[in-house]
Amino acid sequence: MLQIEQMTEAMRTQVLQMVESFYHSDAVSHPVPMEILEQTFSDAVSQDPVLTGYVLKENDQIAGFAYVTIFYACEVGGRCLMFEELFLRKEYRGKGYGTAFFKWVMEEHPEVRRFRLEVTEENKKAIALYENLGFRFLDYKQMVCDR
């Protein structure tokens, strides 16, 4: 049975191991330095509400993790929730936990008008899951300006 809990500092080692696996998978298009991944974890467990971290558990064992953030989106006239990352350990995949997590977040946030995520074209299984949940591709090219 799936349990969803907010991430805590005590989970750092287990979560960062999964984060490293995530960043060495076809779910991402480029490597990210470990110090940034560690900062992200720290932000997710801090009192700053900009990023929230969750762990997905089965029988009190951490099966995966997720990061989400909420922001205002002018094009929808309201809040947008971005699924920043979602990862399940291999042995927990195919059990419906990803679907259950998305549905749980959507139910927990009725104020959100749009849910967004990024996906690489190579991640076919994830694309199928997201489309089954009602996601569609936007016709945007992403641009960034890092500091």
Side-chain angles (χ1 to χ4, degrees):
M1 170 127 163
L2 179 67
Q3 305 154 284
I4 300 168
E5 296 178 11
Q6 201 155 348
M7 206 177 275
T8 66
E9 180 62 39
M11 300 168 181
R12 178 180 287 272
T13 301
Q14 285 185 283
V15 170
L16 286 176
Q17 287 172 348
M18 290 183 291
V19 168
E20 283 192 89
S21 294
F22 176 79
Y23 276 92
H24 288 92
S25 74
D26 64 357
V28 296
S29 62
H30 59 278
V32 174
M34 193 62 193
E35 59 267 14
I36 291 178
L37 303 178
E38 290 171 351
Q39 181 62 54
T40 299
F41 177 87
S42 294
D43 290 341
V45 299
S46 75
Q47 296 301 312
D48 186 349
V50 72
L51 182 68
T52 304
Y54 295 102
V55 291
L56 291 74
K57 290 182 164 185
E58 179 185 274
N59 299 322
D60 293 321
Q61 297 297 312
I62 296 178
F65 78 95
Y67 292 131
V68 302
T69 188
I70 296 176
F71 57 94
Y72 192 92
C74 297
E75 65 189 52
V76 297
R79 289 190 171 103
C80 182
L81 184 143
M82 182 76 163
F83 291 97
E84 286 288 337
E85 295 177 7
L86 173 62
F87 175 84
L88 287 166
R89 293 177 193 228
K90 196 174 216 169
E91 62 269 28
Y92 296 102
R93 295 177 192 162
K95 295 184 172 193
Y97 291 165
T99 298
F101 177 73
F102 280 102
K103 289 180 178 180
W104 178 82
V105 169
M106 291 173 173
E107 288 173 11
E108 289 290 307
H109 293 280
E111 77 283 7
V112 170
R113 299 190 73 174
R114 174 176 281 170
F115 296 91
R116 282 186 75 156
L117 52 80
E118 295 175 350
V119 63
T120 61
E121 291 179 12
E122 296 80 21
N123 202 348
K124 303 293 186 199
K125 286 185 178 181
I127 291 171
L129 167 65
Y130 304 149
E131 288 178 335
N132 284 337
L133 289 167
F135 285 86
R136 61 182 168 68
F137 283 98
L138 290 174
D139 294 329
Y140 289 118
K141 294 283 185 188
Q142 296 242 343
M143 297 176 70
V144 297
C145 178
D146 293 334
R147 291 186 183 210

